[in-house]
Amino acid sequence: MTPTTAGYLLTAILLSSLLILNGCSEAKTHKKDTMIHSSTQTSQQALPDVFIRTGALSETAEWDRTIQVVAQLTERLKEEPDHVSSLIRMSQIFMNEARITGEHGHYYPAILDILNHVLTVPGISDDERFDALSMKSAVLLSQHRFPEARDVALEAVPLRPHNAQIYGALVDAHVELGQYTEAIVFAEKMMDLRPDLLSYSRASYLREIHGDMEGAKEAMDLAVKSGYPGNENTAWCRLTLGQLHEKTGDLEAAEAQYRQALAERPDYPFATAALASVAQKKGEYAQAEELLESAIAVIPEVSFYVQMAELYASTDREEESQQKFQEVLNMMADDELHGHRMDIEYAKAYLHLDQDYTAALQRAMVEYEQRPKNIEVNKLLAQIHFAMGNVDKAAQHLDVATRTNTQSHELLNLKGLIEVEKGNDEVGKNYLLLSKKMNPYQSDMYSKTATELMATL
């Protein structure tokens, strides 16, 4: 998995799936003797094996249930290879295991093959077609194939127009495409149908996009309260609530949310990595490194490796930072090989970890061609162009990135620096002051530059 829009896309995928089976993450393995062999196939293809989770976290009751369900479904599919409901249920398990183990390349292409086959099975019911399309949209979102995900979700809507979950997929797709007005329409539809964890979490992000950080916190708090403590989707919402506090400089409130997430779901790696972020902002670098190592031991999540590379760089360990950067590139290449669009992740890595602005721009422009209105894509392009000295181009992309009044210290810093470059020192200084007021604990690529510039203005 990879970070995007401060983790929002991953949130969307986790919440949209609404899977019954939830679990803690485990490090990936490719050994043949650590698989549950399905030993069956549809009329088109063999089903993928299920990787066995290892270590203490594999001893949970939910993993036992997963094994049992896989065995039952396998037997059913041996008797009837095209039994649609069993294929869909097995795909749900594969989807769940993909995000738990990090084995996206193993599971996602297989899920799409299965679902595409399911949609051709004669006599498939409307409900089964809806379930297949809904899951297909979720996988496409996970692979960053946003236009396709939107189109598949729209195909599903007439089959079950009162299902709130499918509108959630449409919210996610339109957000990622930068079509925020359309996203709001579908979010309101979703809220009208079912105000719950799924709809509150999306309302939170849309409020954040439009600059209402307090409203975003309130909505995410409602999402947390709507969930069951310990479930992964609840833990993710609590994590996101903590991140909202962290973005506005309240490290104490952020840390409290991360620790509560771990209390409710022990060894939850994303909360562990979030605590590392807080520790790094406090200057507790040894503690941050220890926490990141713990998170990486649970799941090989690429954002943890990026975070570690940044930590090494901030403590003048450039050789180790570059080694971790190469690991990041290798992980991204593997995901890309298996159908995952990784251009924005590559661009961020080249920009922040390697300062290779040409490579960053090349990758970012590929992403821009797909979604030219997205705030995060334009923010990234503004950062790249400013780093390259293209102030006018940076300003153009910044205008797009701030058109919804989204608030972040990174955008305020960049806006201030651009104004100073244009000779508007007083205006630029005000933006830099606002940035520091919004979040005094800054670690973005321009925070040091902004601090140094403030001393001269």
Side-chain angles (χ1 to χ4, degrees), residues 199-227:
S199 50
Y200 287 133
S201 62
R202 287 174 170 87
S204 173
Y205 188 62
L206 286 168
R207 288 180 181 182
E208 182 184 354
I209 285 172
H210 289 84
D212 182 6
M213 295 300 287
E214 292 307 311
K217 293 174 188 176
E218 291 172 6
M220 193 57 72
D221 185 57
L222 288 172
V224 170
K225 291 174 179 176
S226 299

Side-chain angles (χ1 to χ4, degrees), residues 280-316:
Q280 184 172 349
K281 286 181 171 66
K282 290 181 177 180
E284 300 169 355
Y285 299 116
Q287 177 70 6
E289 185 173 349
E290 182 179 337
L291 287 164
L292 279 174
E293 288 173 348
S294 297
I296 288 171
V298 176
I299 182 173
E301 159 65 31
V302 70
S303 65
F304 302 163
Y305 285 75
V306 170
Q307 200 173 335
M308 186 71 87
E310 291 174 341
L311 175 62
Y312 288 152
S314 68
T315 52
D316 298 322

Side-chain angles (χ1 to χ4, degrees), residues 190-380:
M190 191 181 188
M191 187 71 76
D192 289 342
L193 288 169
R194 187 169 182 171
D196 61 2
L197 179 147
L198 299 171
S199 50
Y200 287 133
S201 62
R202 287 174 170 87
S204 173
Y205 188 62
L206 286 168
R207 288 180 181 182
E208 182 184 354
I209 285 172
H210 289 84
D212 182 6
M213 295 300 287
E214 292 307 311
K217 293 174 188 176
E218 291 172 6
M220 193 57 72
D221 185 57
L222 288 172
V224 170
K225 291 174 179 176
S226 299
Y228 187 83
N231 277 1
E232 188 176 24
N233 53 9
T234 309
W236 189 271
C237 287
R238 190 175 289 283
L239 172 79
T240 307
L241 178 58
Q243 289 170 336
L244 288 169
H245 287 296
E246 191 173 348
K247 288 176 183 178
T248 51
D250 193 343
L251 296 188
E252 184 177 343
E255 184 173 354
Q257 292 297 331
Y258 302 150
R259 294 197 181 280
Q260 185 62 32
L262 285 167
E264 295 174 356
R265 191 175 181 84
D267 298 305
Y268 184 53
F270 293 97
T272 304
L275 284 174
S277 174
V278 171
Q280 184 172 349
K281 286 181 171 66
K282 290 181 177 180
E284 300 169 355
Y285 299 116
Q287 177 70 6
E289 185 173 349
E290 182 179 337
L291 287 164
L292 279 174
E293 288 173 348
S294 297
I296 288 171
V298 176
I299 182 173
E301 159 65 31
V302 70
S303 65
F304 302 163
Y305 285 75
V306 170
Q307 200 173 335
M308 186 71 87
E310 291 174 341
L311 175 62
Y312 288 152
S314 68
T315 52
D316 298 322
R317 296 157 67 182
E318 289 299 331
E319 185 175 347
E320 290 172 273
S321 179
Q322 280 301 301
Q323 289 175 351
K324 198 61 66 176
F325 168 63
Q326 290 302 318
E327 291 182 58
V328 167
L329 292 183
N330 291 338
M331 295 171 75
M332 290 180 179
D334 183 68
D335 275 347
E336 195 168 50
L337 181 65
H338 292 93
H340 194 137
R341 290 182 58 92
M342 299 295 295
D343 293 295
I344 194 168
E345 286 78 15
Y346 269 111
K348 288 180 179 179
Y350 282 125
L351 174 64
H352 297 296
L353 303 181
D354 198 44
Q355 290 77 56
D356 185 342
Y357 306 137
T358 301
L361 181 59
Q362 182 179 7
R363 282 287 190 165
M365 286 305 297
V366 174
E367 193 72 22
Y368 181 77
E369 290 299 318
Q370 182 186 216
R371 43 193 189 128
K373 297 180 180 179
N374 178 270
I375 286 173
E376 287 298 313
V377 174
N378 280 279
K379 170 186 168 184
L380 179 60

Side-chain angles (χ1 to χ4, degrees), residues 430-449:
N430 286 337
Y431 280 122
L432 298 178
L433 287 170
L434 284 173
S435 174
K436 202 68 174 177
K437 181 179 180 181
M438 181 177 186
N439 186 355
Y441 303 98
Q442 299 188 11
S443 59
D444 66 281
M445 66 181 296
Y446 292 123
S447 59
K448 184 178 180 180
T449 303

Side-chain angles (χ1 to χ4, degrees), residues 2-255:
T2 55
T4 178
T5 319
Y8 169 72
L9 179 61
L10 182 55
T11 305
I13 299 305
L14 297 182
L15 302 183
S16 292
S17 298
L18 275 177
L19 304 180
I20 296 172
L21 301 170
N22 288 297
C24 295
S25 302
E26 286 297 328
K28 63 172 73 173
T29 175
H30 296 279
K31 295 181 181 178
K32 208 61 175 166
D33 59 355
T34 55
M35 299 178 180
I36 302 172
H37 299 290
S38 54
S39 301
T40 189
Q41 61 182 43
T42 69
S43 61
Q44 295 284 318
Q45 65 184 70
L47 295 175
D49 296 309
V50 178
F51 286 104
I52 295 177
R53 305 179 211 168
T54 59
L57 297 180
S58 65
E59 298 173 3
T60 62
E62 66 186 33
W63 174 234
D64 291 337
R65 289 196 301 271
T66 300
I67 295 172
Q68 293 169 8
V69 173
V70 168
Q72 293 166 1
L73 291 172
T74 298
E75 288 304 311
R76 179 59 188 268
L77 289 168
K78 283 181 181 177
E79 299 172 2
E80 191 177 347
D82 285 344
H83 190 257
V84 170
S85 63
S86 294
L87 289 170
I88 291 173
R89 185 70 184 95
M90 190 73 90
S91 296
Q92 289 177 325
I93 292 173
F94 294 158
M95 183 77 169
N96 197 57
E97 291 304 305
R99 60 182 174 78
I100 288 170
T101 64
E103 289 287 353
H104 310 127
H106 177 69
Y107 288 110
Y108 287 159
I111 294 171
L112 289 176
D113 286 343
I114 292 168
L115 294 176
N116 286 334
H117 170 66
V118 162
L119 292 167
T120 68
V121 173
I124 183 174
S125 70
D126 283 351
D127 282 345
E128 290 169 335
R129 185 176 296 278
F130 174 87
D131 289 339
L133 290 170
S134 180
M135 187 171 302
K136 181 178 178 179
S137 178
V139 175
L140 292 170
L141 281 169
S142 165
Q143 293 185 321
H144 296 189
R145 294 160 63 180
F146 305 119
E148 294 173 75
R150 176 199 57 201
D151 294 345
V152 170
L154 286 172
E155 186 180 348
V157 169
L159 299 172
R160 205 181 292 173
H162 300 296
N163 180 281
Q165 182 182 339
I166 197 62
Y167 294 107
L170 287 167
V171 174
D172 302 339
H174 282 292
V175 161
E176 295 300 333
L177 291 170
Q179 299 165 347
Y180 303 112
T181 301
E182 293 87 340
I184 290 172
V185 171
F186 287 119
E188 290 175 346
K189 179 73 172 177
M190 191 181 188
M191 187 71 76
D192 289 342
L193 288 169
R194 187 169 182 171
D196 61 2
L197 179 147
L198 299 171
S199 50
Y200 287 133
S201 62
R202 287 174 170 87
S204 173
Y205 188 62
L206 286 168
R207 288 180 181 182
E208 182 184 354
I209 285 172
H210 289 84
D212 182 6
M213 295 300 287
E214 292 307 311
K217 293 174 188 176
E218 291 172 6
M220 193 57 72
D221 185 57
L222 288 172
V224 170
K225 291 174 179 176
S226 299
Y228 187 83
N231 277 1
E232 188 176 24
N233 53 9
T234 309
W236 189 271
C237 287
R238 190 175 289 283
L239 172 79
T240 307
L241 178 58
Q243 289 170 336
L244 288 169
H245 287 296
E246 191 173 348
K247 288 176 183 178
T248 51
D250 193 343
L251 296 188
E252 184 177 343
E255 184 173 354

